[in-house]
Amino acid sequence: MNETKAPEAPDAPEAPRKLGAKAPRTRLSKLFDNRWAGLAGLLIALLAPFVNASDYALSIMTTAAIFVMLASGLNIVVGYTGLLDLGYAAFFAVGAYTSGVLATRLDLPLVATVPAVIVVTVIAGIVIGAPTLRLRSDYLAIVTLGFGEIIRITANNLPVTGGPSGIYGIPSLIDSKAGFYYVTVGVVAIAVLGASRLGRSRLGRAMRFVREDEDAAEATGVHTYKVKLAAYIAGAVWGGLAGVLFAGQLSAISPNSFTFLYSATVLMAVVLGGMGSVPGVVLGAIVISLLPELLREAADYRYFVFGVLLIVVMLLRPQGLWPARSKEALK
């Protein structure tokens, strides 16, 4: 007698994913979380001169590297701490003019001016930040914009800074353009690594706490004013050292190099890459600095195309090209 098999029960439907559960990671997210992405970027920067070592290409790549350092410094202020700074070019100018004046007036090598640049930028950060960091939001942005213009106008009127003509004959760190590029990449790599380590430190966590909720941070014992001042000083030092590289690259500086537009461009790189994300800021700075050169064939329309592309990217990626990810999201 044949036994009849019982009909198989239909497969149970998959249980819906619980609210708050993590979505499966995509290939793109895995790429963004890859620890080797930074080393890959550094390797590309080191190998780039082997692809094109013309003076023009080296100049563009050096400018992009300096811009990366500026964006990394502003990211400490804006991305980590949430302070809207519209006058960041002021610290860039302070570093460039300090190194330029000391190198030309005292016949010092450019590298010998670095300690003085660090001291002067720290003082500038305290002088500018101490009276202004008690302000918040739009008021802080307006005050920092004003200080940025004050620094530029002061440099435009002081005899020691050369007035509107600026300073010429600043010695370079190294005579070879390729050598200067590699020195710049090395300094910028150390600066980016330092900014990343700062973000993961106890002070960096305090900065993020202040950014998320300053009142709650104050209530839990975080001295928000000291944290904001420390972030502002760190950003000032990064900007000042970038100014040294800028002065050494061009061997001439003038007030027109440190306008509000430059501050806005650096801020644009931070927002485009992803505020608070070190690799995102690096990517944003590279895009902002290189894209106009890649669009040079568009002639008079290149900045129009550049603006349209930025708008499209911000609409598609409102959190930035490489947004910051918390440790909890990566587990």
Side-chain angles (χ1 to χ4, degrees), residues 1 30 35 63-64 86 124 136 145 157 209 312:
M1 184 174 180
K30 291 179 181 180
R35 296 180 179 180
T63 301
L86 297 181
R136 298 187 184 182
L145 171 61
N157 290 277
F209 199 3
V312 171

Side-chain angles (χ1 to χ4, degrees), residues 33 82 132 167 169 177 197-199 205 215 231 250 285 301:
D33 300 339
T132 62
I167 301 174
K177 289 189 176 182
R197 293 296 183 185
L198 176 62
R205 291 193 294 271
D215 294 329
L250 299 182
Y301 297 97

Side-chain angles (χ1 to χ4, degrees), residues 18-312:
K18 293 181 179 180
L19 185 63
K22 295 186 279 289
R25 296 172 64 191
T26 63
R27 291 183 179 180
L28 185 61
S29 64
K30 291 179 181 180
L31 175 62
F32 283 173
D33 300 339
N34 195 331
R35 296 180 179 180
W36 299 101
L39 290 177
L42 178 60
L43 183 61
I44 292 173
L46 295 175
L47 295 178
F50 292 95
V51 178
N52 189 347
S54 64
D55 290 346
Y56 173 75
L58 288 173
S59 176
I60 296 300
M61 290 187 291
T62 303
T63 301
I66 295 173
F67 201 76
V68 167
M69 186 167 182
L70 281 170
S72 298
L74 185 59
N75 186 47
I76 298 174
V77 181
V78 178
Y80 289 172
T81 321
L83 304 174
L84 184 55
D85 188 351
L86 297 181
Y88 190 66
F91 302 120
F92 189 41
V94 168
Y97 271 105
T98 300
S99 62
V101 169
L102 293 178
T104 55
R105 301 281 177 147
L106 302 180
D107 293 328
L108 294 176
L110 201 63
V111 68
T113 67
V114 171
V117 168
I118 294 175
V119 172
V120 173
T121 50
V122 168
I123 295 174
I126 295 174
V127 170
I128 297 176
T132 62
L133 292 179
R134 298 188 185 277
L135 301 174
R136 298 187 184 182
S137 187
D138 300 339
Y139 302 102
L140 177 62
I142 293 172
V143 172
T144 54
L145 171 61
F147 272 113
E149 287 301 296
I150 288 173
I151 295 295
R152 184 184 64 84
I153 294 173
T154 301
N156 195 51
N157 290 277
L158 286 179
V160 69
T161 58
S165 300
I167 301 174
Y168 296 90
I170 302 173
S172 179
L173 289 172
I174 190 170
D175 294 334
S176 170
K177 289 189 176 182
F180 185 85
Y181 168 74
Y182 281 116
V183 170
T184 301
V185 169
V187 173
V188 172
I190 294 172
V192 171
L193 180 61
S196 178
R197 293 296 183 185
L198 176 62
R200 298 176 183 177
S201 66
R202 183 178 179 181
L203 178 58
R205 291 193 294 271
M207 291 176 184
R208 287 185 168 88
F209 199 3
V210 171
R211 179 192 65 192
E212 296 299 330
D213 194 328
E214 186 172 344
D215 294 329
E218 189 79 37
T220 55
V222 177
H223 199 304
T224 57
Y225 178 73
K226 289 183 178 179
V227 170
K228 291 191 292 184
L229 186 60
Y232 206 71
I233 292 173
V237 172
W238 260 251
L241 294 177
V244 176
L245 296 174
F246 180 76
Q249 179 196 11
L250 299 182
S251 74
I253 53 175
S254 67
N256 292 332
S257 302
F258 311 103
T259 60
F260 164 71
L261 181 60
Y262 205 91
S263 296
T265 307
V266 180
L267 180 61
M268 188 189 307
V270 174
V271 176
L272 178 66
M275 291 191 295
S277 169
V278 173
V281 166
V282 172
L283 180 60
I286 293 173
V287 170
I288 292 294
S289 57
L290 295 185
L291 192 57
E293 297 300 326
L294 298 177
L295 296 174
R296 186 171 290 275
E297 294 182 359
D300 295 337
Y301 297 97
R302 64 172 176 155
Y303 284 107
F304 172 77
V305 177
F306 176 62
V308 170
L309 290 176
L310 289 180
I311 293 173
V312 171

